Amino acid sequence: MRKKLAILSIVLSIILTIPACTSKSESGNTSGNSSLNSSSAGTKASQTGFDYKKYGVEYTAATDVGKSPKIALDRKDTLVIGLPDTTGIFNYLYGDNAYDWYAIYTMFDFNIEVDFDGKPIPGATDYKVSDDGLTYTFTIKDGVKFWDGNPATAYDLEFAYYLEADPKYDGPADIAKTFIKGLDAYKNGNADKIEGIKVIDDKTLEITVDKVSGPAIYGLQVPLLEKKYYGADFKKGDTAKVKEKNGAPMGTGQYKFVEYKAGQELKLVANEDYFKGAPKIKNLIFSVTPTGQELQRVMAGETDIDMADVSPDNMKAAKDAEFIDIYRFPTNGYGYVGLNDADPKFSDVKVRQALMYALNRAAVVEKVYGEYARVVNIPESNVSWAYDDEGCNTYEFNLDKAGQLLDEAGWKLNSNGKREKDGKEFKIKFTCMSPHPVTDIMVPVMKDDYAKLGIDVTVENADWPTLQQKATKKQLEAYFMASGLTPDPDNSLANAYKSNATQNYYNYKNEEVDRLCEEGLNEISTEKRKPIYKQLYKILNNDLPVLFVYQRSDMWVANSRIKNYELSSFRDFFFNLYKAEIAN
């Protein structure tokens, strides 16, 4: 399935990119820090019977629903979800950040989903895999139809695969890792058909692959896109026409698109014909919420649910409000300082290691999150079956070690106390959001400690859409962001760190990493894949294509009059939002 992703949460082939503190998709194997393994405090929610504890979610119920603000109580048929602004790209195959995807999850269905443990399950299709693992058969479920009333067909599913396989496709997903027969001849050759994709009948699509792969089922995840709407006469290379409708979606999902006002809100209305059952709440609004105001807006009744920055102060404030339900669980992802490894000053691994030693990550994480986060040294969360940081360098704060490495890399102190090499002083332009709970703490610490080494840091502030766009286009020297990971480690690692990968925004290249990514992709057995990823983590821990900073908890806060949220580290509540209801 897809990315970073995440989400995510269900991000199956790609990695979600998100503002590093309010990451709506980062992660944690229960062997990690106990503050992130919240299953010990979970309880079963009386309103649904959903077992939060089973899935590692600490659920804290409100104590006095009656204290909900009047402005919220007056909303009888509308759910308002706070969200940082989206890019307005409402097509899963082109969206590249968590916030677009949260909206997309409510508007589109997928042939494959993941369950609360991150395992693939049928979505809008039933599916079966042949005994030899080379043939996948997808059958559209009864009652699945688009908002315009047309039933979803195998041709719509076929269209989504052809779009992702098109030579002109420039979205984040990588269909090549599914090994569909004839895919390369279509994508990189002159073939006008993909041999391994075959419509059997109106409801059945068959996909044949060249070789067996453990993660392939995740890579085969696609949304149901109505061919009649997006590309009735679609021909190879016509992707531009599809992208023209990214802001005017047509889905089969729980809620139908109504209106999007950039910087303000996205309005949706219930799909009464939804195949899983009509949503119980008629209207859904995603309300743009400035970073840092998530909890405050829920407490004021302006929004009903949002992801608040997880901190001791916010946990206390949410509990003291008495009408707020709290859902906390290990984030499937990590926060990091991104670097442009192609920049001459960052191209030497010793320099990157020096910057890691000189970044007081433990102090920053403690200040921002307290017990609700931990320092990480590999690009994986401790909820993943592949997580293994044994033998990895912990890069504990050490300015002397950092200085030694800079000396070895040729960056010597000049007469002015500045690091200099080949007549050029070491300066870093660091781009981040502000105000921002993490960077507001981390940047002053970074500037002060790096200055002690003779490195000057200048700061450029940017809003989230600008930061995300510049980072993905590799236009930044250094920046702060977070990655929401996929249930399978192949997507999380290969999409971000393999040479020329779709989400390798760091210009990182290592032939051994490329080889191991391929080895992990081609192996079926989970037990045989574990040592492969352990080798990968050790290499990335040494190379530091980015500076790994933390894994935190997600903390969703919700007005307790809204019932029936179901969520975990791997599956966002957006997928089952049709079950939510307003208790009057």
Side-chain angles (χ1 to χ4, degrees):
M1 305 174 168
R2 301 180 37 147
K3 176 189 182 173
K4 182 187 194 160
L5 12 249
I7 246 258
L8 159 182
S9 23
I10 175 177
V11 246
L12 301 179
S13 302
I14 51 186
I15 303 169
L16 299 179
T17 53
I18 44 201
C21 119
T22 51
S23 110
K24 307 231 173 183
S25 261
E26 301 161 21
S27 149
N29 180 17
T30 53
S31 61
N33 185 309
S34 61
S35 67
L36 294 184
N37 179 14
S38 56
S39 61
S40 61
T43 60
K44 182 174 289 189
S46 60
Q47 73 268 28
T48 66
F50 183 77
D51 193 344
Y52 292 110
K53 183 176 181 179
K54 177 180 178 181
Y55 300 109
V57 179
E58 177 185 294
Y59 168 67
T60 304
T63 56
D64 191 346
V65 179
K67 289 191 175 181
S68 176
K70 184 176 185 301
I71 186 176
L73 293 174
D74 286 345
R75 288 195 296 269
K76 304 298 184 182
D77 62 355
T78 301
L79 172 64
V80 181
I81 299 176
L83 203 66
D85 201 5
T86 74
T87 64
I89 297 176
F90 304 124
N91 182 333
Y92 186 66
L93 292 182
Y94 284 102
D96 195 21
N97 73 86
Y99 307 134
D100 287 339
W101 289 4
Y102 290 146
I104 289 169
Y105 295 155
T106 66
M107 293 188 281
F108 289 85
D109 291 301
F110 301 82
N111 58 336
I112 299 163
E113 297 179 6
V114 295
D115 64 13
F116 296 101
D117 288 318
K119 299 182 180 66
I121 58 173
T125 72
D126 289 314
Y127 71 87
K128 62 181 180 180
V129 185
S130 62
D131 291 341
D132 61 7
L134 297 176
T135 303
Y136 297 79
T137 304
F138 298 96
T139 304
I140 306 287
K141 291 180 177 178
D142 293 339
V144 180
K145 56 184 178 180
F146 293 98
W147 301 332
D148 59 11
N150 292 323
T153 71
Y155 296 98
D156 300 311
L157 198 58
E158 177 193 48
F159 169 67
Y161 284 116
Y162 268 86
L163 174 61
E164 192 176 338
D166 197 276
K168 295 291 184 66
Y169 171 73
D170 58 357
D174 184 7
I175 196 172
K177 296 195 298 184
T178 60
F179 306 117
I180 297 175
K181 185 181 292 292
L183 178 66
D184 185 67
Y186 181 82
K187 189 174 184 66
N188 302 309
N190 297 320
D192 59 0
K193 293 291 183 182
I194 301 174
E195 181 184 352
I197 300 179
K198 182 180 180 181
V199 173
I200 304 301
D201 56 44
D202 281 353
K203 299 188 69 172
T204 309
L205 184 77
E206 182 180 273
I207 291 186
T208 305
V209 298
D210 285 320
K211 58 181 177 180
V212 177
S213 168
I217 187 64
Y218 293 100
L220 290 170
Q221 185 212 30
V222 291
L224 295 183
L225 296 176
E226 186 178 24
K227 183 177 181 180
K228 180 179 179 181
Y229 177 79
Y230 283 99
D233 56 351
F234 180 80
K235 294 181 176 60
K236 188 176 181 179
D238 270 354
T239 58
K241 292 181 180 179
V242 178
K243 293 170 69 173
E244 289 175 358
K245 295 186 176 180
N246 280 350
M250 173 63 68
T252 62
Q254 309 161 79
Y255 282 87
K256 300 186 290 185
F257 177 82
V258 175
E259 180 184 27
Y260 170 61
K261 294 181 180 179
Q264 299 180 50
E265 64 184 17
L266 167 66
K267 289 185 177 180
L268 308 176
V269 67
N271 177 8
E272 298 295 337
D273 296 322
Y274 187 53
F275 80 102
K276 293 182 182 179
K280 295 180 172 61
I281 301 175
K282 181 179 179 181
N283 301 300
L284 175 61
I285 296 175
F286 289 97
S287 177
V288 174
T289 297
T291 299
Q293 296 182 24
E294 297 87 358
L295 175 58
Q296 288 74 12
R297 291 196 73 203
V298 174
M299 291 175 66
E302 297 171 1
T303 58
D304 294 307
I305 184 169
D306 205 334
M307 177 183 285
D309 181 41
V310 61
S311 68
D313 287 345
N314 276 353
M315 284 289 291
K316 182 178 186 304
K319 291 177 181 178
D320 289 348
E322 299 186 67
F323 67 90
I324 292 177
D325 288 334
I326 305 170
Y327 307 85
R328 190 177 66 82
F329 49 88
T331 307
N332 189 22
Y334 57 93
Y336 65 92
V337 171
L339 302 173
N340 182 353
D341 296 348
D343 188 314
K345 63 176 172 284
F346 297 135
S347 61
D348 190 327
V349 65
K350 289 185 177 180
V351 171
R352 300 195 297 271
Q353 290 174 345
L355 295 177
M356 187 74 141
Y357 276 115
L359 182 60
N360 197 342
R361 298 174 298 154
V364 171
V365 170
E366 172 62 27
K367 180 71 172 176
V368 179
Y369 294 121
E371 64 179 302
Y372 303 119
R374 65 187 187 93
V375 170
V376 293
N377 298 296
I378 61 173
E380 186 58 87
S381 69
N382 65 354
V383 294
S384 171
W385 57 263
Y387 180 84
D388 190 338
D389 64 353
E390 183 182 4
C392 289
N393 192 339
T394 58
Y395 293 100
E396 294 182 16
F397 181 60
N398 190 329
L399 288 178
D400 290 337
K401 179 67 173 177
Q404 176 186 333
L405 286 166
L406 288 170
D407 285 338
E408 293 174 5
W411 289 96
K412 307 290 187 176
L413 288 172
N414 62 20
S415 59
N416 296 319
K418 304 296 183 183
R419 292 284 169 178
E420 183 178 307
K421 182 178 181 180
D422 299 330
K424 189 173 183 179
E425 290 187 354
F426 199 137
K427 297 181 179 179
I428 297 175
K429 184 179 180 181
F430 188 79
T431 306
C432 62
M433 294 168 54
S434 183
H436 190 280
V438 174
T439 53
D440 288 352
I441 298 297
M442 187 183 76
V443 170
V445 172
M446 174 190 289
K447 290 183 68 173
D448 184 56
D449 286 326
Y450 283 11
K452 294 174 184 176
L453 292 173
I455 298 174
D456 288 335
V457 177
T458 59
V459 179
E460 173 190 48
N461 292 324
D463 59 20
W464 163 239
T466 301
L467 177 65
Q468 192 263 349
Q469 181 181 58
K470 286 188 174 182
T472 57
K473 291 183 177 180
K474 306 178 183 179
Q475 296 173 341
L476 302 176
E477 279 190 20
Y479 56 92
F480 195 49
M481 201 173 282
S483 288
L485 303 179
T486 60
D488 190 274
D490 168 69
N491 291 318
S492 301
L493 291 171
N495 282 1
Y497 298 109
K498 192 176 178 182
S499 302
N500 301 317
T502 55
Q503 292 177 313
N504 181 347
Y505 306 138
Y506 333 113
N507 288 304
Y508 173 69
K509 294 181 180 180
N510 183 310
E511 292 182 359
E512 182 66 4
V513 167
D514 293 349
R515 185 190 68 78
L516 288 169
C517 283
E518 286 299 313
E519 190 175 333
L521 178 64
N522 294 327
E523 181 55 66
I524 303 172
S525 165
T526 296
E527 290 307 309
K528 291 182 179 179
R529 294 178 75 198
K530 285 181 179 180
I532 296 172
Y533 294 114
K534 181 173 183 175
Q535 291 182 62
L536 269 167
Y537 297 140
K538 291 194 74 170
I539 293 173
L540 294 170
N541 170 263
N542 179 77
D543 283 4
L544 296 178
V546 302
L547 309 183
F548 311 117
V549 181
Y550 67 83
Q551 176 195 345
R552 47 160 278 178
S553 292
D554 276 354
M555 177 175 131
W556 287 93
V557 289
N559 187 299
S560 58
R561 78 188 214 293
I562 310 296
K563 303 299 183 183
N564 298 357
Y565 290 118
E566 299 178 354
L567 74 175
S568 74
S569 296
F570 294 104
R571 184 177 173 91
D572 290 315
F573 70 87
F574 297 99
F575 286 97
N576 286 5
L577 200 55
Y578 71 99
K579 294 183 179 181
E581 56 186 309
I582 299 175
N584 295 316

